[in-house]
Amino acid sequence: MIGSSLVPAAVVLLASGAAMAQSADQADQVEEVVVTASRIDRAGFQAPTPTVQLTAEDLAVGARPNIAAALNDMPQFRATSGPQTTGTNTGAGAAPVDLRGLGINRTLVLVDGRRVSSENDLNSIPTVLVKNADIVTGGASAAWGSGAVAGVVNIGIDRYFTGGKLGAEYGISSFDDAEQVRAEGAWGTDFLDGRGHFVIGGEYLDNDGVVPKDSRPNIGSWAQVSNGAGAFITVPNVGFANAAVGGLILSGVNAGRVFNPDGTLRAFNYGTVVGTNTVGGEGPSNDDLSPLVTPQRRYATMASAVYEFSDSLRLTADVRHSRMWNNYIWFGDHNRGNLTISINNAFLPAAVRAQMQAAGQTSFTMGRFNSDLSYSTIDFERINTQATVALDGEFGDDWRWGAYYSRGEYKNNIDTPGFLLRTQYAQAVDSVISPITGQAVCRVTLTNANSGCVPINLFGEGAPSAAAIAYVTGTPQQRTTTTLDVGGIDLRGEPFSLPAGDVSIAVGFEARKEKVVQTVGALDAAQAFQTFSFSALAGEFTVKEAFAEVLVPIVRDLPVLNDLQFNAAARISDYDTTGSIWSWKLGATNEFFPGFRGRITQSRDIRSANLSELFTTTTTGYNNINDPVKGQTVYTLNNGGGNPDLRPETADTLTLGVTYAPPSMPGLNMSLDYYDISIEDVITTIAPQDLVTRCFNGNLDLCSRVDRDAAGNLIRTRSTYVNLSQYHTDGVDAEVSYAAPMDLYFPGASGRVNLRLVGTWVNSLTTNDGVSEIEYVESQGYSFGLGVPKLRVNASAAWQGDVFGVDLRARYISGGVYNKTVNIVNNDIDPYMYVDLGVTADLASFGAEGVELYGNVTNLFDKDPPVGSLYSPYYDVIGRYLTVGARYRF
């Protein structure tokens, strides 16, 4: 028998969920065990840290496009980043997971107990080969190292799948968009007389996304604007008041008039002007064009081979390769009232020039929504390849060992054509009539005939020529390669016994190196663009770690102390960037009476800054910011980026809970767990709105990250990574599940029923920057903040018969507010309930052996999201979504 904490292949024993019903006798029959919350791999061990298991069938509910989207349906997760939540960000389309809303960098993602490259992006894992997902909902740094502050998601791969399977799927929304096509396949077989096993699988997905935002009436062009009484109100039909399609004159005799496509002028319909926005007028918005849900195309593949040299030595090798790519409209590089047009401009209509001359005016300012000139697209690809080789063996009667090495390479390549070049644009706008040719030329051409400048006509939609557009725009470019080298050795066993049972230990050493190299285009390097450019960077760190864990049975078979076990772990991590830091865990479990167990852990968890936080280049996005200084909403540039001076963060985590699997009711499992996590020196970005709010509240350090012009107008926020003083959250997780054959209650009835209720109640989620503390519980509508609902509950009921199956799921989100940090008049959000339905049909009874048809409807009743909940992490902005598909096993 070979057991390994590094190369699990069969069964995961858990302290909650369905595994609670498994008896110790059953557990002794398994050959390989991994407990995701621990490095102890003894059969029957139930770790004191709460763990939830989702099977492949659980992950398939709702036909989500990837594993991360399926996990985000669970109450413990916050959909921090994804196609629905980052439509105009350079990270759009990534699929990370975020436990507790503490940030994706505090949730460690493993594949069969090993770190993955690509920084928590689950798009790189082919769902077709996933066996289960184990969610550790407590600190696990002592077991797995940095990044496990909020918990661990361990994806189990079905390395012993035998036979073949194929699948095809089609999905579409009730709005006739977000069309999705998906195909998958896998094949596995034994070789060399059964000593080896090989499996390969892959999937392809093409989703059109939702474009534009305005295709959803409750989402696009909604924003908060000042109500004139010191508060804000969320209203629809919000656009720019200082820019228009074709060009809006903002000063002089023609102020308030806009250029028609033929160069004539008409009055601009301002609607109601609030600051730099219009409400109800014709002010344009990026929401008219840019995506609500980003389109994505991707494939993911994996091959694995296992070979047993003997009963006590096994080799495992695997390789994963994935690619995600697309090219879609992004956001515009507009002129928001910052263009100066001279009376001598070569393209200025004669009638306008005459009016200016009559008024004694020599120039005017103009704002232009550049949808015909510099509305960028984003062409990206993310390629991830990771290979692993591992040896596992055993010696004596009680000892197992493992060793592995893994190499991962993640490429992130981005081109964003359509951004304005600062110098070329300024020269092209400054056009005159040549005294020699009588033609329009750039003024610079009069003194430099070889300038190559092409004059640009900005007066009216469609006026810029193709040659002028090519001259004044360029393509920011980024080529990033991140590499991960990680390896380790470990030893596990039972060195001796106590009266209550065997003592188990696990010790080991791990080392890893992470490196990033990012190059940029020549124009980026020269800072040639007016508003946006990438930056080159390079950085790396290495860490060496040693860990030890022990499980000690204290008392057994006594009243109340039926099975008391003590668990302790420690890890020392030595970073070449920040030095050495300890993490540890103390825990205990006890069976008070048959089926009723208690568990408690106290841990010190650590996280050192990762490559992105230390070295990432400038990222760019735009957000509507409610400015308390000016009392208005401003569409503002936000830059993100890394910080090489970050300190490691430390977390104190307490979990306390009980599980109950009554022997009198086989199939019934219940768990209740309290958690309390307090993080010091928090490494995080601060949401743009929170930056402005905290600065207004008196944090002068954060004011340095809020840029204003000479008149005090907000022009940029900089959400680079910082160390905050404290991050704290606490709450309760609960789960009840029941599974039983139908004939247990209805004699003669066929099939089996599965019922499950999972919920998370959050008492508090606060950040403290040393000046002010912000409570984020119930602040759940603002997409770029940290808010979480007070209560989220999933209830599901499923029946599976010989031919047909049906599952019904309800997802509940308690009521809250859009954003607690801003005084919004219509801030309240009602409780929400989404209902999902799935059906299956096994066609074997109809002569089609191995064929299964299925259908899923998410958001069955087509419930609209709260108004203004753009990029919502909790609310469904797509609408009712229908998926149909077929699977074939052979």
Side-chain angles (χ1 to χ4, degrees):
M1 179 186 76
I2 300 174
S4 172
S5 63
L6 297 173
V7 192
V11 176
V12 178
L13 297 183
L14 302 166
S16 64
M20 290 190 296
Q22 186 179 44
S23 70
D25 291 338
Q26 291 172 311
D28 289 340
Q29 297 170 10
V30 304
E31 294 185 352
E32 299 169 3
V33 176
V34 62
V35 180
T36 297
S38 171
R39 303 304 285 255
I40 299 293
D41 67 343
R42 193 177 81 192
F45 170 47
Q46 295 184 339
T49 307
T51 309
V52 176
Q53 182 183 47
L54 297 177
T55 65
E57 291 74 20
D58 295 328
L59 295 170
V61 173
R64 298 304 195 187
N66 51 48
I67 302 169
L71 291 174
N72 285 333
D73 286 337
M74 295 292 291
Q76 298 93 337
F77 289 91
R78 184 183 195 274
T80 303
S81 181
Q84 179 175 308
T85 58
T86 53
T88 52
N89 186 289
T90 50
V97 285
D98 177 6
L99 275 166
R100 308 291 186 210
L102 293 176
I104 61 177
N105 294 325
R106 292 178 193 87
T107 300
L108 179 62
V109 173
L110 307 171
V111 172
D112 278 344
R114 305 186 199 102
R115 289 177 178 264
V116 298
S117 53
S118 78
E119 294 186 355
N120 193 341
D121 188 351
L122 273 66
N123 275 325
S124 65
I125 303 171
T127 309
V128 69
L129 288 180
V130 170
K131 179 178 56 178
N132 54 38
D134 303 333
I135 307 158
V136 180
T137 57
S141 296
W144 301 107
S146 179
V149 171
V152 171
V153 173
N154 186 29
I155 307 299
I157 301 298
D158 190 358
R159 297 179 184 275
Y160 289 91
F161 172 74
T162 301
K165 55 183 174 180
L166 299 171
E169 182 179 286
Y170 174 79
I172 194 166
S173 80
S174 56
F175 286 78
D176 199 30
D177 58 11
E179 191 171 15
Q180 176 175 296
V181 175
R182 177 177 182 156
E184 63 183 20
W187 177 73
T189 184
D190 290 336
F191 62 89
L192 294 180
D193 298 324
R195 300 195 70 86
H197 192 86
F198 175 78
V199 63
I200 187 170
E203 62 191 16
Y204 170 80
L205 180 141
D206 188 346
N207 189 304
D208 291 340
V210 175
V211 184
K213 298 179 181 72
D214 281 344
S215 63
R216 298 299 187 268
N218 274 25
I219 300 296
S221 299
W222 284 78
Q224 285 86 42
V225 300
S226 173
N227 70 347
F232 294 88
I233 184 170
T234 303
V235 295
N237 302 320
V238 178
F240 298 152
N242 55 3
V245 174
L248 173 63
I249 298 176
L250 298 171
S251 66
V253 65
N254 286 307
R257 306 189 76 191
V258 63
F259 284 96
N260 293 312
D262 62 0
T264 61
L265 290 174
R266 61 177 172 80
F268 182 68
N269 178 9
Y270 276 98
T272 301
V273 177
V274 184
T276 58
N277 290 321
T278 70
V279 179
E282 63 172 303
S285 168
N286 279 315
D287 291 2
D288 302 335
L289 297 170
S290 59
L292 172 63
V293 177
T294 55
Q296 57 174 305
R297 287 181 289 172
R298 64 178 176 86
Y299 65 78
T301 60
M302 180 174 183
S304 172
V306 180
Y307 182 73
E308 294 189 2
F309 293 101
S310 67
D311 291 341
S312 59
L313 182 63
R314 179 178 63 190
L315 172 70
T316 301
D318 62 57
V319 61
R320 285 186 295 108
H321 177 73
S322 65
R323 178 175 181 253
M324 181 179 182
W325 74 100
N326 219 313
N327 187 350
Y328 56 86
I329 198 165
W330 201 23
F331 63 86
D333 192 356
H334 307 304
N335 294 112
R336 301 286 303 278
N338 60 348
L339 273 174
T340 299
I341 304 297
S342 169
I343 195 172
N344 297 319
N345 188 285
F347 299 102
L348 189 67
V352 177
R353 182 177 291 110
Q355 290 172 317
M356 293 175 66
Q357 289 171 336
Q361 181 183 344
T362 59
S363 66
F364 62 84
T365 57
M366 187 171 80
R368 196 173 194 282
F369 188 83
N370 292 322
S371 53
D372 59 347
L373 167 61
S374 57
Y375 208 99
S376 179
T377 60
I378 179 167
D379 181 359
F380 74 91
E381 69 170 357
R382 302 186 184 104
I383 303 172
N384 184 44
T385 304
Q386 186 165 5
T388 304
V389 61
L391 280 171
D392 290 273
E394 64 179 39
F395 59 92
D397 295 329
D398 300 304
W399 293 98
R400 288 86 61 199
W401 62 271
Y404 78 99
Y405 168 73
S406 184
R407 165 81 176 187
E409 183 177 86
Y410 175 58
K411 293 181 178 293
N412 187 12
N413 302 324
I414 304 177
D415 294 325
T416 58
F419 279 93
L420 293 172
L421 296 163
R422 181 184 295 104
T423 300
Q424 287 86 338
Y425 188 48
Q427 291 176 347
V429 170
D430 187 18
S431 63
V432 296
I433 298 297
S434 169
I436 300 173
T437 66
Q439 302 297 313
V441 297
C442 303
R443 189 186 301 273
V444 69
T445 305
L446 299 179
T447 56
N448 180 7
N450 297 319
S451 68
C453 182
V454 180
I456 190 166
N457 182 354
L458 298 176
F459 308 117
E461 184 178 15
S465 67
I469 293 172
Y471 176 71
V472 303
T473 62
T475 302
Q477 294 180 318
Q478 169 188 294
R479 300 291 182 268
T480 307
T481 300
T482 304
T483 55
L484 169 69
D485 290 275
V486 57
I489 57 175
D490 74 321
L491 176 67
R492 308 165 313 280
E494 288 69 50
F496 58 89
S497 295
L498 295 175
D502 293 336
V503 172
S504 294
I505 65 168
V507 295
F509 174 82
E510 292 178 326
R512 74 178 186 275
K513 178 180 180 180
E514 299 186 38
K515 180 179 180 180
V516 61
V517 175
Q518 179 168 296
T519 59
V520 299
L523 292 172
D524 299 87
Q527 295 289 300
F529 295 102
Q530 181 170 274
T531 58
F532 176 82
S533 62
F534 293 108
S535 301
L537 79 152
E540 65 181 58
F541 68 79
T542 59
V543 56
K544 304 178 186 68
E545 302 179 284
F547 65 87
E549 185 170 358
V550 62
L551 169 67
V552 181
I554 305 298
V555 178
R556 191 177 181 88
D557 298 330
L558 292 178
V560 183
L561 300 176
N562 190 47
D563 185 11
L564 176 61
Q565 299 186 13
F566 172 77
N567 180 224
R571 174 181 291 254
I572 180 68
S573 303
D574 183 26
Y575 287 84
D576 66 350
T577 51
T578 56
S580 298
I581 189 167
W582 282 92
S583 55
W584 52 263
K585 178 186 72 173
L586 299 175
T589 62
N590 179 54
E591 185 176 44
F592 293 95
F593 53 85
F596 186 82
R597 289 181 174 271
R599 56 192 178 196
I600 183 172
T601 61
Q602 179 71 56
S603 64
R604 165 60 62 90
D605 298 289
I606 61 98
R607 192 177 75 84
S608 188
N610 62 27
L611 290 172
S612 295
E613 294 161 335
L614 290 169
F615 307 115
T616 194
T617 186
T618 300
T619 60
T620 298
Y622 284 85
N623 303 286
N624 280 308
I625 302 297
N626 300 317
D627 183 4
V629 173
K630 291 289 187 175
Q632 62 187 26
T633 302
V634 186
Y635 190 66
T636 306
L637 170 69
N638 178 68
N639 289 138
N643 179 358
D645 298 322
L646 294 170
R647 301 182 301 275
E649 60 186 32
T650 58
D652 292 313
T653 302
L654 170 69
T655 63
L656 177 67
V658 294
T659 67
Y660 187 38
S664 60
M665 290 192 66
L668 176 62
N669 306 284
M670 295 176 282
S671 66
L672 183 71
D673 289 280
Y674 170 77
Y675 65 89
D676 185 291
I677 304 171
S678 182
I679 310 173
E680 303 292 330
D681 288 327
V682 179
I683 301 169
T684 187
T685 57
I686 303 175
Q689 180 65 67
D690 290 349
L691 273 176
V692 175
T693 301
R694 289 178 186 273
C695 171
F696 183 74
N697 290 341
N699 189 318
L700 298 181
D701 179 61
L702 295 183
C703 285
S704 66
R705 301 172 183 273
V706 178
D707 296 343
R708 298 181 181 272
D709 62 18
N713 296 307
L714 186 64
I715 58 174
R716 181 175 67 160
T717 56
R718 285 173 284 146
S719 297
T720 53
Y721 287 96
V722 296
N723 284 105
L724 283 183
S725 295
Q726 189 180 60
Y727 207 156
H728 175 264
T729 185
D730 69 313
V732 174
D733 292 329
E735 179 175 357
V736 180
S737 63
Y738 181 66
M742 287 292 289
D743 63 5
L744 183 65
Y745 299 99
F746 303 98
S750 63
R752 185 174 181 83
V753 64
N754 289 274
L755 307 175
R756 192 174 196 177
L757 185 70
V758 183
T760 294
W761 175 80
V762 184
N763 177 55
S764 178
L765 174 61
T766 61
T767 62
N768 189 323
D769 61 10
V771 175
S772 60
E773 182 176 271
I774 296 179
E775 173 64 71
Y776 288 98
V777 171
E778 297 183 332
S779 186
Q780 60 205 50
Y782 177 53
S783 51
F784 297 103
L786 304 171
V788 296
K790 193 76 170 178
L791 178 66
R792 290 180 71 194
V793 178
N794 282 3
S796 61
W799 171 80
Q800 182 63 56
D802 294 334
V803 178
F804 297 103
V806 61
D807 61 79
L808 186 67
R809 180 176 65 173
R811 294 175 282 135
Y812 173 80
I813 305 167
S814 62
V817 299
Y818 180 85
N819 190 345
K820 278 187 174 181
T821 67
V822 178
N823 182 12
I824 301 174
V825 174
N826 52 343
N827 207 15
D828 292 339
I829 298 175
D830 293 333
Y832 263 66
M833 175 80 80
Y834 292 109
V835 177
D836 308 324
L837 176 67
V839 295
T840 61
D842 187 338
L843 302 188
S845 300
F846 302 96
E849 188 70 33
V851 177
E852 180 186 66
L853 304 180
Y854 65 91
N856 283 284
V857 183
T858 56
N859 193 359
L860 179 64
F861 299 112
D862 208 9
K863 191 173 182 64
D864 291 330
V867 295
S869 54
L870 180 63
Y871 305 140
S872 164
Y874 299 111
Y875 302 103
D876 183 357
V877 301
I878 296 176
R880 182 188 300 118
Y881 197 83
L882 172 66
T883 305
V884 294
R887 303 184 185 98
Y888 174 51
R889 286 182 175 264
F890 56 93

